[in-house]
mmCIF file of all heavy atoms in Angstrom:
data_model
loop_
_atom_site.group_PDB
_atom_site.id
_atom_site.type_symbol
_atom_site.label_atom_id
_atom_site.label_comp_id
_atom_site.label_asym_id
_atom_site.label_seq_id
_atom_site.Cartn_x
_atom_site.Cartn_y
_atom_site.Cartn_z
ATOM 1 N N SER A 1076 -19.250 9.079 -31.372
ATOM 2 C CA SER A 1076 -18.935 9.688 -32.696
ATOM 3 C C SER A 1076 -19.510 8.817 -33.791
ATOM 4 O O SER A 1076 -19.913 7.658 -33.540
ATOM 5 C CB SER A 1076 -17.419 9.746 -32.876
ATOM 6 O OG SER A 1076 -16.867 8.459 -33.015
ATOM 7 N N GLY A 1077 -19.522 9.359 -34.962
ATOM 8 C CA GLY A 1077 -19.994 8.596 -36.150
ATOM 9 C C GLY A 1077 -19.096 7.396 -36.429
ATOM 10 O O GLY A 1077 -19.563 6.303 -36.749
ATOM 11 N N THR A 1078 -17.813 7.605 -36.280
ATOM 12 C CA THR A 1078 -16.818 6.557 -36.512
ATOM 13 C C THR A 1078 -17.129 5.355 -35.610
ATOM 14 O O THR A 1078 -17.219 4.214 -36.040
ATOM 15 C CB THR A 1078 -15.401 7.046 -36.137
ATOM 16 O OG1 THR A 1078 -15.046 8.057 -37.102
ATOM 17 C CG2 THR A 1078 -14.371 5.929 -36.222
ATOM 18 N N VAL A 1081 -20.348 3.514 -36.672
ATOM 19 C CA VAL A 1081 -20.201 2.601 -37.850
ATOM 20 C C VAL A 1081 -19.367 1.363 -37.526
ATOM 21 O O VAL A 1081 -19.712 0.189 -37.903
ATOM 22 C CB VAL A 1081 -19.540 3.382 -39.023
ATOM 23 C CG1 VAL A 1081 -19.258 2.418 -40.196
ATOM 24 C CG2 VAL A 1081 -20.420 4.482 -39.496
ATOM 25 N N TYR A 1104 -17.730 7.793 -47.110
ATOM 26 C CA TYR A 1104 -16.866 7.866 -45.906
ATOM 27 C C TYR A 1104 -17.726 7.297 -44.737
ATOM 28 O O TYR A 1104 -18.892 7.670 -44.590
ATOM 29 C CB TYR A 1104 -16.476 9.288 -45.626
ATOM 30 C CG TYR A 1104 -15.618 9.425 -44.372
ATOM 31 C CD1 TYR A 1104 -14.354 8.891 -44.315
ATOM 32 C CD2 TYR A 1104 -16.131 10.136 -43.279
ATOM 33 C CE1 TYR A 1104 -13.569 9.037 -43.145
ATOM 34 C CE2 TYR A 1104 -15.292 10.260 -42.142
ATOM 35 C CZ TYR A 1104 -14.079 9.729 -42.078
ATOM 36 O OH TYR A 1104 -13.288 9.899 -40.945
ATOM 37 N N HIS A 1105 -17.050 6.414 -43.979
ATOM 38 C CA HIS A 1105 -17.806 5.843 -42.859
ATOM 39 C C HIS A 1105 -16.956 5.942 -41.595
ATOM 40 O O HIS A 1105 -17.016 5.121 -40.715
ATOM 41 C CB HIS A 1105 -18.132 4.389 -43.142
ATOM 42 C CG HIS A 1105 -18.992 4.208 -44.372
ATOM 43 N ND1 HIS A 1105 -20.271 4.670 -44.424
ATOM 44 C CD2 HIS A 1105 -18.757 3.610 -45.552
ATOM 45 C CE1 HIS A 1105 -20.816 4.386 -45.614
ATOM 46 N NE2 HIS A 1105 -19.879 3.764 -46.336
ATOM 47 N N GLY A 1106 -16.191 7.087 -41.464
ATOM 48 C CA GLY A 1106 -15.348 7.211 -40.295
ATOM 49 C C GLY A 1106 -13.975 6.544 -40.541
ATOM 50 O O GLY A 1106 -13.714 6.023 -41.642
ATOM 51 N N GLU A 1166 -23.983 5.342 -47.795
ATOM 52 C CA GLU A 1166 -24.545 6.642 -47.466
ATOM 53 C C GLU A 1166 -25.764 6.793 -48.459
ATOM 54 O O GLU A 1166 -25.547 6.849 -49.643
ATOM 55 C CB GLU A 1166 -23.560 7.729 -47.740
ATOM 56 C CG GLU A 1166 -22.418 7.830 -46.804
ATOM 57 C CD GLU A 1166 -21.530 9.073 -47.144
ATOM 58 O OE1 GLU A 1166 -21.999 10.214 -46.904
ATOM 59 O OE2 GLU A 1166 -20.439 8.884 -47.663
ATOM 60 N N ASN A 1171 -19.803 12.723 -48.829
ATOM 61 C CA ASN A 1171 -18.377 12.848 -48.543
ATOM 62 C C ASN A 1171 -17.536 12.794 -49.775
ATOM 63 O O ASN A 1171 -16.342 12.571 -49.729
ATOM 64 C CB ASN A 1171 -17.973 11.780 -47.514
ATOM 65 C CG ASN A 1171 -18.499 12.064 -46.142
ATOM 66 O OD1 ASN A 1171 -17.908 12.949 -45.452
ATOM 67 N ND2 ASN A 1171 -19.531 11.426 -45.695
ATOM 68 N N ASP A 1199 -25.736 4.377 -43.533
ATOM 69 C CA ASP A 1199 -24.954 5.349 -42.725
ATOM 70 C C ASP A 1199 -25.568 6.705 -42.871
ATOM 71 O O ASP A 1199 -25.328 7.452 -43.802
ATOM 72 C CB ASP A 1199 -23.450 5.333 -43.169
ATOM 73 C CG ASP A 1199 -22.599 6.238 -42.306
ATOM 74 O OD1 ASP A 1199 -23.202 6.973 -41.436
ATOM 75 O OD2 ASP A 1199 -21.344 6.173 -42.425
ATOM 76 N N VAL A 1201 -25.148 9.257 -40.825
ATOM 77 C CA VAL A 1201 -24.488 10.201 -39.946
ATOM 78 C C VAL A 1201 -24.654 11.646 -40.456
ATOM 79 O O VAL A 1201 -24.845 12.586 -39.685
ATOM 80 C CB VAL A 1201 -22.927 9.873 -39.747
ATOM 81 C CG1 VAL A 1201 -22.206 10.943 -39.056
ATOM 82 C CG2 VAL A 1201 -22.834 8.524 -39.014
ATOM 83 N N ILE A 1202 -24.670 11.810 -41.793
ATOM 84 C CA ILE A 1202 -24.991 13.137 -42.338
ATOM 85 C C ILE A 1202 -26.486 13.291 -42.644
ATOM 86 O O ILE A 1202 -27.089 14.282 -42.295
ATOM 87 C CB ILE A 1202 -24.186 13.453 -43.629
ATOM 88 C CG1 ILE A 1202 -22.755 13.866 -43.215
ATOM 89 C CG2 ILE A 1202 -24.830 14.610 -44.405
ATOM 90 C CD1 ILE A 1202 -21.904 14.418 -44.359
ATOM 91 N N LYS A 1227 -23.453 13.507 -35.949
ATOM 92 C CA LYS A 1227 -23.630 14.899 -36.280
ATOM 93 C C LYS A 1227 -24.950 15.506 -35.662
ATOM 94 O O LYS A 1227 -24.940 15.897 -34.520
ATOM 95 C CB LYS A 1227 -23.567 15.040 -37.812
ATOM 96 C CG LYS A 1227 -22.160 14.594 -38.253
ATOM 97 C CD LYS A 1227 -21.784 14.831 -39.690
ATOM 98 C CE LYS A 1227 -20.275 14.533 -39.884
ATOM 99 N NZ LYS A 1227 -19.977 13.458 -40.771
HETATM 100 C C1 LIG B 1462 -18.872 12.311 -40.474
HETATM 101 C C2 LIG B 1462 -19.230 10.934 -40.904
HETATM 102 C C3 LIG B 1462 -18.812 9.850 -40.231
HETATM 103 C C4 LIG B 1462 -17.820 9.893 -39.082
HETATM 104 O O1 LIG B 1462 -18.365 10.599 -38.011
HETATM 105 P P1 LIG B 1462 -17.367 11.196 -36.925
HETATM 106 O O2 LIG B 1462 -18.247 11.766 -35.894
HETATM 107 O O3 LIG B 1462 -16.580 12.261 -37.645
HETATM 108 O O4 LIG B 1462 -16.516 10.092 -36.435
HETATM 109 C C5 LIG B 1462 -19.247 8.560 -40.628
HETATM 110 N N1 LIG B 1462 -20.107 8.451 -41.693
HETATM 111 C C6 LIG B 1462 -20.544 9.525 -42.364
HETATM 112 C C7 LIG B 1462 -21.516 9.336 -43.487
HETATM 113 C C8 LIG B 1462 -20.103 10.779 -42.032
HETATM 114 O O5 LIG B 1462 -20.512 11.841 -42.788
#
Side-chain angles (χ1 to χ4, degrees):
S1076 69
T1078 295
V1081 174
Y1104 179 66
H1105 301 294
E1166 288 183 73
N1171 286 284
D1199 182 351
V1201 171
I1202 282 189
K1227 298 190 170 116

